């Protein structure tokens, strides 16, 4: 477990997992008595880090799974589409310079605008190799700190989106379970300690579900993906000897 606790994994995988299971953690914290340490407390103490780790792994797998859908919704992988002649994310002169530089690194001639029209798949393969070279050579979080932070933002939003439906399902289970317990108790008395705690858990789960339903969206992931991809391409400025690239505009 501890081998994955690097900065990216912590922020882009564990944080989304933690956000996703907060209602479950709140339910454990509120409904279990912590006045004395017993078997229930021991199980909960062990279960919490295991649950977070399991959700972090699930977040990564589900996040990667939805990438193709995200790219399809945004017209393709941004780090690829932004290098096309038909894209206006960068001015023509800058793109020509970036293409020329990347061409020298992957030992392939720069495709022409006509090539892009006649052989789109081959040209996109060239741009894909350019993006792969950039990703492989900009892994230093210190040298490319802006790029790293944008990558973290993208990973965080993508992985949280991957957990959206499992989280909404978990919230529903929590609400239904608490409601069933209240139903079995009979009349709801807010002065009763257990009833009050159950109502708090239900309210927390509903608020959390609203956040997941409306704040976590494909659009926010697409925006983060484009910002990261723009910054990735701008990292060419560093290799070309122009210093650190400017932060990409949102």
């Amino acid at each position: 477990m501890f081998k994955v606790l690097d900065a990216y994994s912590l922020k882009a995988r564990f944080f989304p997992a933690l956000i996703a299971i907060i209602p479950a953690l709140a339910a454990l914290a509120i409904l279990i008595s912590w006045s004395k340490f017993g078997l229930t407390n021991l199980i909960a103490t062990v279960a919490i880090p295991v649950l977070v780790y399991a959700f972090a792994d699930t977040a990564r797998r589900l996040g990667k799974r939805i990438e193709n859908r995200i790219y399809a919704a945004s017209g393709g992988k941004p780090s690829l589409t932004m290098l096309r002649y038909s894209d206006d994310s960068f001015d023509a002169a800058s793109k020509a310079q970036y293409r020329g530089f990347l061409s020298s690194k992957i030992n392939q001639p720069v495709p022409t605008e006509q090539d892009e029209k006649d052989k789109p798949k081959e040209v996109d393969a060239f741009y894909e190799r350019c993006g792969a070279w950039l990703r492989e050579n900009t892994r230093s979080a210190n040298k490319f700190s802006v790029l790293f932070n944008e990558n973290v933002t993208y990973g965080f939003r993508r992985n949280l989106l991957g957990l959206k439906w499992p989280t909404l399902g978990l919230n529903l289970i929590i609400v239904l379970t608490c409601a069933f317990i209240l139903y079995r108790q009979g009349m709801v008395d807010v002065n009763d300690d257990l009833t009050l705690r159950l109502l708090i858990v239900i309210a927390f789960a509903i608020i959390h579900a609203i956040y997941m339903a409306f704040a976590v969206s494909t659009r926010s992931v697409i925006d983060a993906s484009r910002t990261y991809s723009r910054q990735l391409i701008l990292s060419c400025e560093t290799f070309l000897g122009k210093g650190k690239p400017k932060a990409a505009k949102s």
Side-chain angles (χ1 to χ4, degrees):
M1 180 185 298
F2 297 103
K3 290 192 295 183
V4 298
L5 288 178
D6 56 274
Y8 178 86
S9 295
L10 183 66
K11 296 175 182 179
R13 296 175 189 166
F14 277 81
F15 284 1
L18 197 58
I19 290 173
I21 62 171
I22 275 181
L25 299 182
L28 287 174
I30 294 172
L31 297 178
I32 294 177
S33 174
W34 297 92
S35 57
K36 58 180 181 179
F37 198 84
L39 180 61
T40 303
N41 306 87
L42 178 63
I43 293 173
T45 302
V46 173
I48 288 172
V50 172
L51 193 61
V52 173
Y53 180 77
F55 260 71
D57 181 62
T58 302
R60 180 180 180 276
R61 288 188 288 108
L62 294 180
K64 293 294 289 184
R65 190 178 299 172
I66 65 173
E67 267 191 339
N68 289 335
R69 176 166 61 84
I70 291 170
Y71 293 150
S74 59
K77 185 182 291 187
S79 60
L80 184 156
T81 61
M82 286 181 177
L83 286 172
R84 289 174 180 163
Y85 289 91
S86 57
D87 189 273
D88 61 359
S89 299
F90 295 95
D91 63 90
S94 294
K95 276 196 296 186
Q97 190 175 34
Y98 300 155
R99 286 196 211 97
F101 165 74
L102 293 169
S103 170
S104 69
K105 295 300 179 181
I106 64 173
N107 296 316
Q108 271 193 268
V110 178
T112 65
E113 188 170 2
Q114 191 61 44
D115 289 335
E116 195 172 282
K117 296 175 182 177
D118 296 338
K119 301 176 288 185
K121 289 186 178 180
E122 292 181 24
V123 175
D124 279 353
F126 169 84
Y127 295 145
E128 177 61 35
R129 284 188 284 273
C130 290
W133 187 91
L134 279 174
R135 285 188 291 273
E136 188 62 32
N137 289 274
T138 54
R139 293 187 180 278
S140 172
N142 293 325
K143 186 175 181 180
F144 299 95
S145 57
V146 176
L147 178 63
F148 175 76
N149 289 331
E150 296 297 353
N151 191 28
V152 167
T153 298
Y154 168 65
F156 172 85
R157 293 186 186 180
R158 183 201 67 188
N159 292 341
L160 190 58
L161 180 63
L163 290 174
K164 180 174 183 173
W165 291 108
T167 300
L168 290 174
L170 179 62
N171 281 327
L172 180 61
I173 291 171
I174 291 171
V175 170
L176 291 177
T177 301
C178 292
F180 178 74
I181 296 172
L182 287 173
Y183 171 76
R184 290 294 299 271
Q185 277 192 307
M187 185 178 295
V188 176
D189 181 7
V190 293
N191 293 317
D192 177 68
D193 182 58
L194 177 59
T195 299
L196 182 60
R197 284 188 284 171
L198 287 168
L199 291 174
I200 291 173
V201 171
I202 290 174
F204 191 85
I206 291 174
I207 293 171
H208 185 263
I210 292 172
Y211 164 76
M212 291 297 297
F214 296 102
V216 180
S217 66
T218 300
R219 181 71 258 172
S220 68
V221 179
I222 291 173
D223 290 343
S225 175
R226 289 190 62 80
T227 302
Y228 163 71
S229 297
R230 179 176 172 79
Q231 195 63 43
L232 178 67
I233 295 171
L234 279 173
S235 65
C236 289
E237 299 283 343
T238 298
F239 294 108
L240 288 166
K242 298 181 181 181
K244 289 188 175 182
K246 299 175 289 183
K249 295 180 181 179
S250 302

